Amino acid sequence: MLYIVEGPQQGKSLKEEIEARGVPAWYVELWGNYIVVTPPNVRLQGLNTPVKAAIELKTDSQLVSREWKRDPTPVYIGGREVREGKIFIIAGPCSVETEDQIMKTARFVKEAGADALRGGAFKPRTSPYTFQGLGEEGLKLLAKAREETGLPAVTELMDPEDMPLVVRYADAIQVGARNMQNFTLLKKLGRAGKPVLLKRGFGNTIEEWLLAAEYVALHGNGGIILVERGIRTFDKTLRFTLDVGAIAYAKQHTHLPVIGDPSHPAGDRRYVIPLALAILAAGADGLIVEVHPDPDKAWSDAKQQLTFDQFRELVQKAREVARALGKS
Amino acid sequence: MLYIVEGPQQGKSLKEEIEARGVPAWYVELWGNYIVVTPPNVRLQGLNTPVKAAIELKTDSQLVSREWKRDPTPVYIGGREVREGKIFIIAGPCSVETEDQIMKTARFVKEAGADALRGGAFKPRTSPYTFQGLGEEGLKLLAKAREETGLPAVTELMDPEDMPLVVRYADAIQVGARNMQNFTLLKKLGRAGKPVLLKRGFGNTIEEWLLAAEYVALHGNGGIILVERGIRTFDKTLRFTLDVGAIAYAKQHTHLPVIGDPSHPAGDRRYVIPLALAILAAGADGLIVEVHPDPDKAWSDAKQQLTFDQFRELVQKAREVARALGKS
Amino acid sequence: MLYIVEGPQQGKSLKEEIEARGVPAWYVELWGNYIVVTPPNVRLQGLNTPVKAAIELKTDSQLVSREWKRDPTPVYIGGREVREGKIFIIAGPCSVETEDQIMKTARFVKEAGADALRGGAFKPRTSPYTFQGLGEEGLKLLAKAREETGLPAVTELMDPEDMPLVVRYADAIQVGARNMQNFTLLKKLGRAGKPVLLKRGFGNTIEEWLLAAEYVALHGNGGIILVERGIRTFDKTLRFTLDVGAIAYAKQHTHLPVIGDPSHPAGDRRYVIPLALAILAAGADGLIVEVHPDPDKAWSDAKQQLTFDQFRELVQKAREVARALGKS
Amino acid sequence: MLYIVEGPQQGKSLKEEIEARGVPAWYVELWGNYIVVTPPNVRLQGLNTPVKAAIELKTDSQLVSREWKRDPTPVYIGGREVREGKIFIIAGPCSVETEDQIMKTARFVKEAGADALRGGAFKPRTSPYTFQGLGEEGLKLLAKAREETGLPAVTELMDPEDMPLVVRYADAIQVGARNMQNFTLLKKLGRAGKPVLLKRGFGNTIEEWLLAAEYVALHGNGGIILVERGIRTFDKTLRFTLDVGAIAYAKQHTHLPVIGDPSHPAGDRRYVIPLALAILAAGADGLIVEVHPDPDKAWSDAKQQLTFDQFRELVQKAREVARALGKS
């Protein structure tokens, strides 16, 4: 149940009243609302604290549900708005490699029309023997590119202990597919004070994805952007199977922005543009895409990063498809 | 290997020469070419029959490959062209149910901008206890709707024995997902004399889909339209997972037209429009979509068939996305 | 609904009475019962024809359900019994290749303890350019091996038109994974007069597998053996993912014999024996396994066919596991 | 490359020599060996430090590979050996709930023949609104049951910060399926000083599972037990699809013990015993299974936990199958 109250004081009082009955309760301030939350199947009679609204939902992904919050939630990355009705493009290399590489890319993607810069400093790698990212050094380079270009920076956080570091250098924190159900990390991100890009796990259902977002929201952070990036299926022709149905579903059932990553499902730059356009046509509010000055020499994901020319072509086509869909 | 020859006589001669060496060979006339085909890994030296070109491909899906035939192949359904650069919309009910139902639908979809009419008379049903289609009676009703509206008709063939019947009443023959590897049926369709809509099996890889097309082509029928309609994955939120990557891949690797079916992966009419637009944005040459005058009362697939209003909305949006992609 | 009646005459009368009400009904004689079948959700009041029992089941796989027929159904292949409580081993090459190959294999597997001989004459091949089987010639060789060794023969049927041919030469007819939902074929097998080995499709659910069996039973053939052979999943380390859970489920929910094929999921002979033992431990009533005198030179499935020595080892271990499970 | 050296001093020297060339190197003592490790594709010529052996493997899962370490590695949980040739049974409730519940279960499973006790105190739950475990209180109860019965205790660790706590109370640390690629956690477990049960992620390939083990080993911990627990597939009849092929593969390709969890793939206690026996027949070295004094009232996984009677039956059958396989 969601109980909308007047303010923090009433929230505190209601939370205590409910907990006194042996029922867990949380108080959160989200999207301009003061909310006391209980498990969805709990119905409490005769509460004394007055409430503005008591909302019962059938799902466990209560806070992020569009059933009670019909208006879409905008999320701000470094002051720039990600929201329904327009498209937001995040671009940059898979990994931050060198100062030259990230500066060049940042300048280029800005000029080509990107809204934010991506770049990994902590890399979750399947094998312990492959490049694991530059760590803090990478964050510093990313921050430098941000300063010069003015593009907000997005980067991945793996270890909860690194949260202060990442928060210092980046404008938005990415949760990788492999950490989507790292509940320890999700809970801590509730207190990050920066928006979270929540990638869908390649083995996770849509419901689990929304519930991962619910963890972040319930622990205090409403700045969540859902990122579809492909799932594992029996077909291995492309690297992953992009699930555009998940985008269509998430857009209808949550009020959060939803964007798509065409690079990881493509696995090969030849397929990135059609996948990106499909993401937008399915209703996504933006893209996060890998771009590299010299993709074949990239230290990770060499095959799937776009060249500068391809990225320019992508932005142009993306803007045209957006217009056809009545978006800016 | 593909050997392009001058004409049938040379083809016959080359085929015999190759078979005399104990190697299987086929002669086919396809897309304006006279072709002798051998297995791709067979390399023959010192053939006497002159050839225009000897083409070696690394794949078993040789005939349908874009590597040797760069120009896209148009396919004609009842005189109307399905081809790269425009979009072709096939619409109609899942099953032909009554004269009133099919006539109403045919008139409406024509007026709303459909290019062809679909309607099932032989239905592959998971359970033997559900409606199996009206059979020949359904074909007759479909043909009647075709006559009145002038829309070409598309319908499914299940039993090879019914081929003459289906060919008599329909302008294009659909192979259902469950029959994509029914090789007996595929071989017989090589002699159908009507174009084939080849649905991808929900458990089949992209390569198997192209090889199924190769079966049809090798047995003499070059009028093949590939249809992506969603695959089975671990996520059951929607009915199937639409694989837009398969569309992007098929468009780049074959010269055949590729269309998408948004109805079956959606499984629910609320998701059909975004999936349809994603199909087009991924590069497909058209759509096949279920529409019904009163979907909730449909005898099959009630939940996923579009209402008339929804179909009108879909056509309008589809045309706008097509324009944004530079298509007519 | 299943209505158990006294005999054919009563069955005919009841069927007509039900159809007069506009409800479809089938009459079948199966497993010593005279049965009139209607769709499961149909409840008819006030029928005049007397019945021994009226059985309502929640599933569409009514006839094959263990809810009404608690005792396991034995199936006879060439007079040999496949049934719960013992294990039945079918062995032989993927394809019949030469007289020498099939005779050698037949003699060996008999001596090593096999209960029946397998060998494909009509092969469903993904590519049109690979070996498609010897056809009738293969059936004749198989029949010859059967005659000499006394082992019953099992072979696959693809084209319904070949049914008379296959029935003449073989003791049991295999439906391949790709044809599990070839409903035309399933219906015709209802009148085959020979038992059917129904392989589960690699993209099909357990429910669909049982419903495919229901098709065969409803059309008159109760001699059905279910064969689990692995499904498609995201993991490609082995060829398919053997689903032992499907065996456990099918054993509890149907009265039909269930066997397993370890060769196709293994895809490599190194893994066949552990998979075979897992199949038996999960409760299967037997195995169908590929064996070849010289696997590396086999014309199909070369990597996964067992050598003679491996097959001998498999039989010995299988018998020991069977004993541990209290089976003969 | 793996370089086996005489001892730590030589290891240190070689590591430095390699790093001086700009190549990453690790030194680890594992399974009685002193090893310097470099990425597998790195070949170094003319090293000065003498080595006992230089081993080149084609895989990134070098340390855990059976190619260089043919003899199986035993792992000790609280002094009890998990190893090839016998079966080791870990049993207990999904979650530690109350003192009475865990004590009763511990006493029973000990008497019935279990080798170790399981019980979760930190629970990774899909929804933030479901029971998240008793935390340290649960660990204390588990430790109490361990003391009374003498059974070693196994429990899950989610938050790296809780490692000291878990290590204090438990004899082995479980990594849950959702954390299999939580590389931060894996690296820290390299220094846990207690054995690790590494569950396979339900969306992860076999290769990724072995590479997760490689992370733990490379960071210093050789006490790794691989746990197969089912993967996500399109079939939802059971909760997950148990992948017995993964067991067969892991047993042949690594020297680590491999056990199976039949409870999670079953999802329903009716299927646990056949799955458990299939796990053993596929070659596993043991089982980890959920048992509860009153499963229907369990606070988590109520449907799949075995009753005491069922567990007794399982142990008896497991021992018989083990004997048939020549194991103790």
Side-chain angles (χ1 to χ4, degrees):
Chain A
M1 293 281 291
L2 303 182
Y3 298 92
I4 313 294
V5 294
E6 289 293 338
Q9 217 163 345
Q10 220 172 58
K12 191 170 171 267
S13 154
L14 180 59
K15 181 173 181 291
E16 283 167 6
E17 191 188 343
I18 293 172
E19 288 179 339
R21 301 196 189 182
V23 169
W26 293 258
Y27 169 74
V28 278
E29 291 181 38
L30 290 169
W31 315 302
N33 300 283
Y34 306 97
I35 315 175
V36 174
V37 192
T38 61
N41 53 336
V42 167
R43 224 168 296 184
L44 298 161
Q45 309 290 346
L47 289 167
N48 294 321
T49 317
V51 300
K52 282 167 70 179
I55 300 158
E56 191 176 358
L57 298 163
K58 274 178 210 138
T59 170
D60 273 37
S61 52
Q62 307 180 87
L63 288 165
V64 304
S65 169
R66 204 155 194 159
E67 266 184 74
W68 74 276
K69 185 174 183 301
R70 298 299 311 166
D71 58 308
T73 295
V75 172
Y76 295 87
I77 299 183
R80 302 194 180 196
E81 194 183 32
V82 185
R83 69 158 166 81
E84 205 166 288
K86 52 173 283 206
I87 65 167
F88 192 94
I89 300 178
I90 305 168
C94 174
S95 304
V96 178
E97 297 166 3
T98 64
E99 181 167 342
D100 183 58
Q101 173 242 22
I102 189 69
M103 296 309 291
K104 241 190 214 158
T105 310
R107 281 177 212 128
F108 174 74
V109 300
K110 187 196 176 177
E111 181 263 315
D115 301 290
L117 177 67
R118 62 152 288 155
F122 299 105
K123 302 297 303 173
R125 301 304 302 271
T126 299
S127 162
Y129 302 114
T130 49
F131 176 55
Q132 311 264 316
L134 294 182
E136 185 170 4
E137 180 56 26
L139 293 177
K140 285 180 182 166
L141 295 175
L142 189 66
K144 197 172 171 191
R146 171 177 66 160
E147 264 166 67
E148 196 197 294
T149 59
L151 286 180
V154 177
T155 201
E156 177 161 355
L157 172 66
M158 290 173 66
D159 188 338
E161 284 183 25
D162 294 326
M163 197 164 84
L165 207 63
V166 168
V167 162
R168 191 178 331 139
Y169 293 109
D171 300 290
I173 306 170
Q174 184 180 306
V175 176
R178 289 161 187 80
N179 274 323
M180 196 202 83
Q181 291 197 310
N182 181 340
F183 301 112
T184 298
L185 185 64
L186 297 179
K187 288 178 182 178
K188 290 183 183 171
L189 285 169
R191 301 186 302 272
K194 286 271 172 85
V196 172
L197 273 82
L198 183 63
K199 286 207 158 184
R200 178 178 176 196
F202 47 66
N204 288 111
T205 62
I206 298 174
E207 191 200 3
E208 290 170 341
W209 187 33
L210 301 189
L211 285 169
E214 187 82 4
Y215 264 98
V216 177
L218 186 67
H219 288 81
N221 191 346
I224 305 162
I225 297 167
L226 296 166
V227 187
E228 160 61 26
R229 47 77 74 213
I231 57 172
R232 287 236 161 112
T233 70
F234 64 81
D235 191 286
K236 301 296 174 198
T237 313
L238 274 61
R239 194 171 170 198
F240 293 94
T241 301
L242 176 69
D243 184 2
V244 287
I247 294 171
Y249 184 92
K251 282 302 299 173
Q252 295 190 22
H253 293 270
T254 88
H255 51 81
L256 302 173
V258 179
I259 68 172
D261 165 0
S263 304
H264 285 83
D268 183 318
R269 69 184 66 91
R270 285 180 294 173
Y271 311 118
V272 170
I273 294 179
L275 294 195
L277 301 181
I279 285 168
L280 297 175
D285 305 309
L287 297 169
I288 179 163
V289 60
E290 291 182 353
V291 182
H292 192 283
D294 189 357
D296 286 332
K297 294 198 181 127
W299 302 4
S300 54
D301 284 354
K303 228 177 132 194
Q304 80 197 24
Q305 304 203 50
L306 291 186
T307 63
F308 285 1
D309 281 352
Q310 286 174 317
F311 180 66
R312 202 190 299 275
E313 182 189 342
L314 167 59
V315 173
Q316 187 188 328
K317 289 187 172 170
R319 299 290 175 202
E320 277 172 43
V321 167
R323 255 191 304 280
L325 299 165
K327 297 184 173 188
S328 61
Chain B
M1 293 284 289
L2 302 182
Y3 299 92
I4 314 292
V5 294
E6 290 293 340
Q9 215 162 347
Q10 219 171 59
K12 190 167 172 268
S13 154
L14 180 58
K15 181 173 182 289
E16 281 168 8
E17 189 188 346
I18 293 173
E19 287 180 339
R21 300 198 190 181
V23 169
W26 293 258
Y27 169 73
V28 276
E29 292 181 38
L30 290 169
W31 316 301
N33 299 284
Y34 307 96
I35 315 174
V36 173
V37 193
T38 62
N41 53 335
V42 167
R43 224 169 297 184
L44 299 161
Q45 309 290 347
L47 289 166
N48 294 321
T49 317
V51 299
K52 284 167 69 179
I55 301 159
E56 190 174 0
L57 297 163
K58 274 179 210 136
T59 171
D60 273 37
S61 51
Q62 308 181 87
L63 288 166
V64 303
S65 169
R66 203 155 193 158
E67 266 184 74
W68 72 276
K69 184 175 185 300
R70 299 300 310 167
D71 57 309
T73 295
V75 172
Y76 295 86
I77 300 184
R80 302 191 179 199
E81 193 184 31
V82 185
R83 69 157 165 82
E84 206 167 286
K86 52 172 283 203
I87 64 168
F88 191 93
I89 300 178
I90 305 167
C94 174
S95 304
V96 178
E97 298 167 1
T98 63
E99 181 168 344
D100 182 58
Q101 174 243 22
I102 190 67
M103 296 308 292
K104 246 191 210 158
T105 310
R107 282 177 212 130
F108 172 75
V109 301
K110 188 196 178 179
E111 181 263 315
D115 300 291
L117 176 68
R118 61 153 287 156
F122 298 104
K123 302 297 302 174
R125 300 305 300 273
T126 300
S127 162
Y129 302 114
T130 48
F131 176 56
Q132 312 266 316
L134 294 181
E136 186 170 3
E137 180 56 26
L139 293 178
K140 285 181 182 166
L141 295 176
L142 189 67
K144 195 170 173 192
R146 172 176 70 160
E147 264 166 67
E148 196 197 294
T149 60
L151 287 179
V154 176
T155 202
E156 178 161 355
L157 171 67
M158 292 172 63
D159 187 340
E161 284 184 25
D162 294 326
M163 197 164 87
L165 206 61
V166 167
V167 162
R168 191 179 330 139
Y169 293 110
D171 300 289
I173 305 171
Q174 183 179 307
V175 176
R178 289 161 188 79
N179 273 324
M180 195 204 83
Q181 290 197 313
N182 180 340
F183 301 112
T184 299
L185 184 63
L186 296 179
K187 288 178 183 177
K188 290 185 183 170
L189 285 168
R191 301 186 302 270
K194 287 272 171 89
V196 172
L197 274 81
L198 184 63
K199 288 207 156 184
R200 178 177 175 198
F202 46 68
N204 288 110
T205 62
I206 297 174
E207 193 201 1
E208 289 170 341
W209 187 32
L210 301 189
L211 286 169
E214 187 83 3
Y215 263 99
V216 178
L218 185 65
H219 287 82
N221 190 347
I224 305 164
I225 297 167
L226 295 167
V227 188
E228 160 62 27
R229 47 78 73 210
I231 57 172
R232 286 233 162 113
T233 71
F234 64 81
D235 191 286
K236 300 296 173 196
T237 313
L238 272 63
R239 194 171 172 197
F240 293 93
T241 301
L242 176 69
D243 184 1
V244 288
I247 294 171
Y249 184 92
K251 282 303 298 174
Q252 294 190 25
H253 292 270
T254 87
H255 52 81
L256 301 174
V258 179
I259 68 171
D261 165 1
S263 305
H264 285 84
D268 183 319
R269 69 184 66 91
R270 286 179 295 173
Y271 311 117
V272 170
I273 293 178
L275 294 194
L277 301 180
I279 285 167
L280 297 175
D285 305 310
L287 298 168
I288 178 164
V289 59
E290 291 181 353
V291 182
H292 193 282
D294 188 358
D296 287 332
K297 296 201 180 123
W299 302 3
S300 56
D301 283 353
K303 230 177 132 196
Q304 81 197 24
Q305 304 203 49
L306 291 185
T307 62
F308 283 1
D309 280 352
Q310 286 173 317
F311 180 66
R312 201 189 299 274
E313 183 189 341
L314 167 59
V315 174
Q316 186 188 329
K317 289 186 172 172
R319 298 290 176 202
E320 278 171 42
V321 168
R323 255 191 304 278
L325 299 164
K327 297 185 172 187
S328 60
Chain C
M1 294 280 292
L2 302 182
Y3 299 92
I4 313 293
V5 294
E6 289 293 340
Q9 215 162 349
Q10 221 171 56
K12 191 170 170 267
S13 154
L14 181 58
K15 181 172 180 291
E16 283 167 5
E17 190 187 346
I18 293 173
E19 288 179 338
R21 299 197 190 183
V23 170
W26 293 259
Y27 169 74
V28 276
E29 291 182 39
L30 290 169
W31 316 302
N33 299 282
Y34 307 97
I35 314 175
V36 174
V37 192
T38 62
N41 53 336
V42 167
R43 223 169 295 183
L44 298 161
Q45 309 290 346
L47 290 166
N48 294 321
T49 317
V51 300
K52 282 167 71 180
I55 299 160
E56 190 175 359
L57 298 164
K58 274 179 210 137
T59 172
D60 273 37
S61 52
Q62 309 180 86
L63 288 166
V64 304
S65 169
R66 203 155 194 159
E67 266 183 75
W68 74 275
K69 184 172 185 302
R70 298 301 310 166
D71 58 309
T73 296
V75 172
Y76 295 86
I77 299 183
R80 302 192 180 197
E81 193 184 32
V82 184
R83 69 158 165 81
E84 206 165 285
K86 54 173 281 207
I87 64 168
F88 192 93
I89 300 177
I90 306 167
C94 174
S95 303
V96 179
E97 297 166 2
T98 63
E99 179 166 345
D100 184 57
Q101 172 242 26
I102 190 68
M103 296 308 292
K104 245 191 210 159
T105 310
R107 282 176 211 128
F108 173 74
V109 301
K110 187 196 179 177
E111 182 263 314
D115 300 291
L117 177 67
R118 62 152 287 155
F122 299 104
K123 302 296 302 173
R125 302 305 299 274
T126 299
S127 163
Y129 302 114
T130 49
F131 176 55
Q132 311 265 316
L134 294 182
E136 185 169 5
E137 180 55 27
L139 292 177
K140 284 181 183 166
L141 295 175
L142 189 67
K144 196 171 173 191
R146 172 175 69 160
E147 262 166 68
E148 194 197 294
T149 60
L151 286 180
V154 177
T155 202
E156 177 162 355
L157 171 67
M158 290 173 65
D159 187 339
E161 283 184 25
D162 293 326
M163 196 164 87
L165 206 62
V166 168
V167 162
R168 190 176 335 137
Y169 292 110
D171 300 290
I173 306 170
Q174 184 180 307
V175 176
R178 287 161 189 81
N179 274 323
M180 196 203 84
Q181 291 198 312
N182 180 339
F183 301 113
T184 299
L185 185 63
L186 297 179
K187 288 178 182 178
K188 289 184 184 171
L189 284 168
R191 302 186 301 270
K194 287 272 170 87
V196 172
L197 274 81
L198 183 63
K199 287 208 156 183
R200 179 178 174 197
F202 46 68
N204 288 110
T205 63
I206 298 174
E207 192 201 2
E208 289 171 341
W209 188 31
L210 301 189
L211 285 169
E214 187 83 3
Y215 263 98
V216 177
L218 185 67
H219 288 82
N221 190 346
I224 305 162
I225 297 168
L226 295 166
V227 187
E228 161 60 27
R229 47 79 73 211
I231 56 172
R232 287 234 162 113
T233 71
F234 64 82
D235 192 284
K236 301 294 173 197
T237 314
L238 274 61
R239 193 170 172 197
F240 294 94
T241 301
L242 177 69
D243 184 1
V244 288
I247 294 171
Y249 184 92
K251 283 301 299 173
Q252 294 189 27
H253 292 270
T254 87
H255 51 81
L256 301 174
V258 179
I259 69 172
D261 165 0
S263 304
H264 286 83
D268 183 320
R269 68 184 68 91
R270 287 179 295 173
Y271 311 117
V272 170
I273 294 179
L275 294 194
L277 301 181
I279 285 167
L280 296 175
D285 306 309
L287 297 168
I288 178 163
V289 60
E290 290 182 353
V291 182
H292 193 283
D294 189 358
D296 286 331
K297 297 202 181 123
W299 301 3
S300 54
D301 283 353
K303 228 177 133 194
Q304 80 198 23
Q305 304 203 48
L306 293 185
T307 63
F308 284 1
D309 280 352
Q310 287 174 316
F311 181 65
R312 202 190 298 276
E313 183 189 341
L314 166 60
V315 173
Q316 187 187 329
K317 290 186 171 171
R319 299 290 176 204
E320 277 171 42
V321 168
R323 256 192 304 278
L325 299 164
K327 296 183 174 190
S328 61
Chain D
M1 292 283 289
L2 304 182
Y3 298 92
I4 313 292
V5 294
E6 289 293 341
Q9 218 163 344
Q10 220 171 59
K12 193 169 168 268
S13 155
L14 180 58
K15 182 173 181 292
E16 282 167 7
E17 190 188 345
I18 292 173
E19 287 179 338
R21 301 198 190 182
V23 169
W26 293 258
Y27 169 73
V28 278
E29 293 182 37
L30 291 170
W31 316 300
N33 299 284
Y34 306 98
I35 314 174
V36 173
V37 192
T38 61
N41 52 335
V42 167
R43 225 170 294 186
L44 299 161
Q45 308 290 345
L47 289 167
N48 294 321
T49 317
V51 300
K52 285 168 66 179
I55 299 158
E56 190 176 358
L57 297 163
K58 274 178 210 137
T59 171
D60 274 36
S61 52
Q62 307 179 87
L63 288 166
V64 304
S65 169
R66 204 156 195 158
E67 264 182 77
W68 73 276
K69 184 174 185 301
R70 298 300 311 165
D71 58 309
T73 295
V75 173
Y76 296 86
I77 299 183
R80 303 192 179 198
E81 194 183 33
V82 185
R83 70 157 167 82
E84 207 166 286
K86 52 172 283 208
I87 64 168
F88 191 93
I89 300 178
I90 305 168
C94 174
S95 304
V96 179
E97 296 166 4
T98 64
E99 181 167 343
D100 184 58
Q101 174 242 24
I102 189 68
M103 296 308 292
K104 241 190 213 159
T105 310
R107 283 178 211 128
F108 173 75
V109 300
K110 188 197 177 176
E111 181 262 315
D115 299 290
L117 177 67
R118 61 153 287 156
F122 299 104
K123 302 296 302 172
R125 301 305 300 273
T126 299
S127 164
Y129 302 114
T130 50
F131 176 56
Q132 311 264 317
L134 293 182
E136 186 170 2
E137 180 55 28
L139 292 177
K140 285 181 182 165
L141 294 176
L142 189 67
K144 197 171 172 190
R146 170 176 70 159
E147 266 167 66
E148 197 197 291
T149 59
L151 285 179
V154 177
T155 202
E156 177 161 355
L157 171 66
M158 290 172 65
D159 188 340
E161 284 183 25
D162 294 326
M163 197 166 85
L165 206 64
V166 167
V167 162
R168 190 176 334 136
Y169 293 110
D171 300 289
I173 304 171
Q174 183 180 307
V175 176
R178 287 161 189 81
N179 274 323
M180 196 203 84
Q181 291 196 313
N182 180 339
F183 302 113
T184 298
L185 185 64
L186 297 179
K187 288 177 181 178
K188 290 185 183 171
L189 284 169
R191 303 186 300 271
K194 289 271 170 87
V196 172
L197 273 82
L198 184 63
K199 287 207 158 182
R200 176 177 177 199
F202 46 67
N204 289 110
T205 62
I206 297 173
E207 192 201 2
E208 289 170 341
W209 187 33
L210 303 188
L211 285 169
E214 187 83 4
Y215 264 98
V216 177
L218 185 66
H219 287 82
N221 191 346
I224 305 162
I225 297 167
L226 295 166
V227 187
E228 160 61 27
R229 46 77 75 213
I231 57 172
R232 287 233 162 114
T233 70
F234 65 81
D235 192 287
K236 301 296 174 195
T237 313
L238 272 63
R239 195 171 170 197
F240 293 95
T241 301
L242 176 69
D243 184 2
V244 288
I247 295 171
Y249 184 92
K251 283 302 298 172
Q252 295 190 25
H253 293 270
T254 89
H255 52 81
L256 301 174
V258 180
I259 69 171
D261 165 0
S263 304
H264 285 83
D268 182 319
R269 68 185 65 91
R270 285 179 294 173
Y271 311 117
V272 170
I273 294 179
L275 294 195
L277 301 180
I279 285 167
L280 297 175
D285 305 309
L287 297 169
I288 178 163
V289 60
E290 291 183 351
V291 182
H292 193 282
D294 189 357
D296 287 331
K297 295 199 181 126
W299 302 3
S300 55
D301 283 353
K303 228 177 133 194
Q304 80 197 25
Q305 304 203 50
L306 291 185
T307 63
F308 284 2
D309 281 353
Q310 285 174 317
F311 180 66
R312 202 190 297 277
E313 183 189 341
L314 166 59
V315 174
Q316 187 187 328
K317 289 186 172 171
R319 299 289 175 205
E320 277 172 43
V321 167
R323 256 191 303 278
L325 300 164
K327 298 184 172 187
S328 62

